[in-house]
Coordinates of all heavy atoms in Angstrom, one line a residue:
A1 N 56.3 157.8 113.3 CA 57.6 157.7 112.5 C 57.3 157.2 111.1 O 57.9 157.6 110.1 CB 58.5 156.7 113.3
L2 N 56.4 156.1 111.0 CA 56.1 155.7 109.7 C 55.3 156.6 108.8 O 55.6 156.7 107.6 CB 55.2 154.3 109.8 CG 55.9 153.1 110.5 CD1 55.0 152.0 110.7 CD2 57.2 152.7 109.8
E3 N 54.5 157.5 109.5 CA 53.8 158.5 108.7 C 54.8 159.5 108.1 O 54.6 160.0 107.0 CB 52.8 159.3 109.6 CG 51.5 158.5 109.9 CD 50.7 159.2 111.0 OE1 51.0 160.3 111.4 OE2 49.6 158.6 111.4
D4 N 55.8 159.8 108.9 CA 56.9 160.7 108.4 C 58.0 160.0 107.5 O 59.0 160.6 107.0 CB 57.7 161.4 109.5 CG 56.8 162.3 110.3 OD1 55.8 162.7 109.7 OD2 57.1 162.7 111.4
K5 N 57.7 158.6 107.2 CA 58.5 157.9 106.2 C 59.9 157.8 106.7 O 60.9 158.0 105.9 CB 58.4 158.5 104.8 CG 57.0 158.3 104.2 CD 57.0 158.7 102.8 CE 55.7 158.3 102.2 NZ 54.5 158.7 102.9
L6 N 60.2 157.7 108.0 CA 61.5 157.6 108.6 C 62.0 156.2 108.7 O 61.2 155.3 109.1 CB 61.5 158.2 110.0 CG 61.1 159.8 110.1 CD1 61.0 160.2 111.6 CD2 62.2 160.6 109.4
P7 N 63.3 155.9 108.3 CA 63.8 154.5 108.5 C 63.9 154.2 110.0 O 64.2 155.1 110.8 CB 65.2 154.7 107.8 CG 65.5 156.1 107.8 CD 64.3 156.9 107.7
V8 N 63.8 152.9 110.3 CA 63.7 152.6 111.7 C 64.8 151.4 112.0 O 65.0 150.6 111.1 CB 62.3 151.9 112.0 CG1 62.2 151.4 113.5 CG2 61.2 152.9 111.8
I9 N 65.5 151.6 113.1 CA 66.3 150.5 113.6 C 65.6 149.9 114.9 O 65.3 150.7 115.8 CB 67.7 151.1 114.0 CG1 68.5 151.6 112.8 CG2 68.6 150.0 114.6 CD1 69.7 152.4 113.1
L10 N 65.4 148.6 114.9 CA 64.8 148.0 116.0 C 65.8 147.7 117.1 O 66.8 147.0 116.8 CB 64.0 146.8 115.7 CG 63.4 145.9 116.9 CD1 62.5 146.8 117.6 CD2 62.8 144.7 116.3
V11 N 65.8 148.2 118.3 CA 66.6 147.9 119.4 C 65.8 147.2 120.4 O 64.9 147.7 121.1 CB 67.2 149.3 120.0 CG1 68.2 148.9 121.2 CG2 67.9 150.0 118.9
V12 N 66.2 145.9 120.6 CA 65.6 145.0 121.6 C 66.4 145.2 122.9 O 67.5 144.7 123.0 CB 65.5 143.6 121.2 CG1 64.8 142.8 122.3 CG2 64.6 143.4 119.9
N13 N 65.9 145.9 123.9 CA 66.6 146.3 125.1 C 66.2 145.4 126.2 O 65.3 144.6 126.2 CB 66.3 147.8 125.5 CG 67.3 148.3 126.5 OD1 68.4 147.9 126.5 ND2 66.8 149.2 127.3
K14 N 67.1 145.4 127.3 CA 66.9 144.5 128.5 C 67.0 143.1 128.2 O 66.2 142.3 128.7 CB 65.6 144.9 129.2 CG 65.5 146.4 129.6 CD 64.4 146.7 130.4 CE 64.2 148.2 130.7 NZ 63.0 148.5 131.6
V15 N 67.9 142.6 127.3 CA 68.0 141.3 126.8 C 68.5 140.4 128.0 O 68.5 139.2 128.0 CB 68.9 141.0 125.6 CG1 68.2 141.7 124.4 CG2 70.3 141.7 125.9
D16 N 69.1 141.0 129.1 CA 69.6 140.3 130.2 C 68.4 139.9 131.2 O 68.7 139.2 132.2 CB 70.6 141.1 130.9 CG 70.0 142.4 131.4 OD1 69.3 143.1 130.7 OD2 70.3 142.9 132.6
R17 N 67.2 140.3 130.9 CA 66.1 140.0 131.8 C 65.9 138.5 131.9 O 65.9 137.8 130.9 CB 64.8 140.7 131.4 CG 64.7 142.2 131.8 CD 63.5 142.8 131.4 NE 62.3 142.2 132.1 CZ 61.1 142.8 132.3 NH1 61.0 144.1 131.9 NH2 60.1 142.2 133.0
P18 N 65.7 137.9 133.1 CA 65.4 136.5 133.2 C 64.2 136.0 132.4 O 64.0 134.9 131.9 CB 65.3 136.2 134.6 CG 65.0 137.5 135.3 CD 65.7 138.5 134.4
D19 N 63.1 136.9 132.2 CA 62.0 136.6 131.5 C 62.0 137.1 130.1 O 60.9 137.3 129.5 CB 60.7 137.1 132.3 CG 60.8 138.7 132.5 OD1 61.9 139.2 132.3 OD2 59.8 139.2 132.9
A20 N 63.2 137.4 129.6 CA 63.2 137.9 128.2 C 62.7 136.8 127.2 O 62.9 135.7 127.4 CB 64.6 138.3 127.8
R21 N 61.9 137.3 126.2 CA 61.3 136.4 125.1 C 61.6 137.0 123.8 O 60.8 137.6 123.1 CB 59.9 136.1 125.4 CG 59.1 137.3 125.8 CD 57.7 137.0 126.1 NE 56.9 138.2 126.1 CZ 56.2 138.6 125.1 NH1 56.2 137.9 124.0 NH2 55.5 139.8 125.1
I22 N 62.9 137.1 123.4 CA 63.5 138.0 122.4 C 62.8 137.7 121.0 O 62.3 138.6 120.3 CB 65.0 137.9 122.2 CG1 65.6 138.4 123.6 CG2 65.5 138.6 121.1 CD1 67.0 138.1 123.8
S23 N 62.8 136.3 120.6 CA 62.2 136.0 119.3 C 60.8 136.3 119.1 O 60.3 136.8 118.1 CB 62.5 134.6 119.0 OG 61.9 133.8 119.9
E24 N 60.0 136.1 120.2 CA 58.5 136.4 120.2 C 58.4 138.0 120.1 O 57.5 138.4 119.3 CB 57.9 135.9 121.4 CG 57.8 134.4 121.5 CD 58.9 133.9 122.5 OE1 60.0 134.4 122.4 OE2 58.6 133.0 123.3
V25 N 59.2 138.7 120.8 CA 59.1 140.2 120.7 C 59.4 140.7 119.3 O 58.7 141.6 118.8 CB 60.0 140.8 121.8 CG1 60.1 142.3 121.5 CG2 59.4 140.7 123.2
V26 N 60.4 140.1 118.7 CA 60.7 140.6 117.4 C 59.6 140.3 116.4 O 59.2 141.1 115.5 CB 62.0 139.9 116.9 CG1 62.3 140.2 115.4 CG2 63.2 140.4 117.7
D27 N 58.9 139.1 116.6 CA 57.8 138.7 115.7 C 56.6 139.7 116.0 O 55.9 140.1 115.1 CB 57.3 137.3 116.0 CG 58.2 136.3 115.5 OD1 59.1 136.6 114.7 OD2 58.3 135.1 116.0
E28 N 56.4 140.1 117.3 CA 55.3 141.0 117.6 C 55.6 142.4 117.0 O 54.6 143.0 116.5 CB 55.3 141.2 119.1 CG 54.5 140.0 119.8 CD 54.7 140.0 121.3 OE1 55.0 141.2 121.8 OE2 54.5 139.0 122.0
V29 N 56.8 142.8 116.9 CA 57.2 144.1 116.2 C 56.9 144.0 114.7 O 56.3 145.0 114.2 CB 58.6 144.5 116.5 CG1 59.0 145.7 115.7 CG2 58.8 144.7 118.0
Y30 N 57.3 142.9 114.1 CA 56.9 142.7 112.6 C 55.4 142.7 112.5 O 55.0 143.5 111.5 CB 57.5 141.3 112.2 CG 58.9 141.4 111.7 CD1 59.9 140.6 112.4 CD2 59.2 142.1 110.6 CE1 61.2 140.6 112.0 CE2 60.6 142.1 110.2 CZ 61.6 141.4 110.9 OH 62.9 141.4 110.4
E31 N 54.6 142.2 113.3 CA 53.2 142.2 113.2 C 52.6 143.6 113.3 O 51.8 144.0 112.7 CB 52.5 141.3 114.3 CG 52.6 139.8 114.0 CD 52.2 139.0 115.1 OE1 51.4 139.5 116.0 OE2 52.5 137.8 115.2
L32 N 53.3 144.4 114.2 CA 52.9 145.9 114.5 C 53.2 146.7 113.2 O 52.4 147.4 112.9 CB 53.7 146.4 115.7 CG 53.3 147.8 116.1 CD1 51.9 148.0 116.5 CD2 54.2 148.2 117.3
F33 N 54.3 146.4 112.6 CA 54.7 147.2 111.4 C 53.6 146.9 110.3 O 53.2 147.8 109.6 CB 56.0 146.7 110.9 CG 57.2 147.6 111.4 CD1 57.7 147.5 112.6 CD2 57.8 148.6 110.6 CE1 58.7 148.2 113.2 CE2 58.9 149.3 111.0 CZ 59.3 149.2 112.3
I34 N 53.3 145.6 110.1 CA 52.3 145.2 109.1 C 51.0 145.8 109.4 O 50.2 146.4 108.5 CB 52.2 143.7 108.9 CG1 53.5 143.1 108.4 CG2 51.1 143.3 108.1 CD1 53.7 141.6 108.7
D35 N 50.6 145.8 110.7 CA 49.3 146.4 111.1 C 49.3 147.8 111.0 O 48.1 148.4 110.6 CB 49.2 146.0 112.7 CG 47.7 146.2 113.2 OD1 46.8 146.0 112.4 OD2 47.5 146.4 114.3
L36 N 50.3 148.5 111.0 CA 50.3 150.0 110.8 C 50.6 150.4 109.3 O 50.7 151.6 109.0 CB 51.5 150.7 111.6 CG 51.2 150.6 113.2 CD1 52.4 151.1 113.9 CD2 50.0 151.4 113.6
G37 N 50.5 149.4 108.4 CA 50.6 149.7 107.0 C 52.0 150.1 106.5 O 52.2 151.0 105.6
A38 N 53.1 149.6 107.1 CA 54.5 149.9 106.7 C 54.8 149.4 105.4 O 54.2 148.4 104.9 CB 55.4 149.4 107.7
S39 N 55.5 150.2 104.6 CA 56.0 149.8 103.3 C 57.0 148.7 103.4 O 57.6 148.4 104.4 CB 56.5 151.0 102.6 OG 57.7 151.4 103.2
E40 N 57.3 148.0 102.2 CA 58.3 146.9 102.2 C 59.6 147.4 102.7 O 60.4 146.7 103.4 CB 58.4 146.5 100.8 CG 57.2 145.4 100.4 CD 57.5 144.8 99.1 OE1 58.7 144.6 98.7 OE2 56.5 144.6 98.4

């Protein structure tokens, strides 16, 4: 998706799970974007 320069909406699903760790998952996604060379 990033190679095709497509805008992204992050959807964090299954937030009702008892083992959900929402803020950590969002941080991991930010790290993944940076790791893949996403633009600002």
Side-chain angles (χ1 to χ4, degrees):
L2 295 178
E3 283 172 4
D4 290 343
K5 297 185 168 46
L6 296 171
V8 178
I9 298 172
L10 174 62
V11 179
V12 181
N13 193 29
K14 304 186 185 181
V15 291
D16 58 316
R17 283 183 62 157
D19 57 348
R21 40 186 201 93
I22 298 170
S23 58
E24 293 98 318
V25 164
V26 171
D27 289 343
E28 287 171 13
V29 173
Y30 274 115
E31 286 172 19
L32 182 58
F33 269 75
I34 294 165
D35 199 24
L36 293 173
S39 64
E40 282 186 33

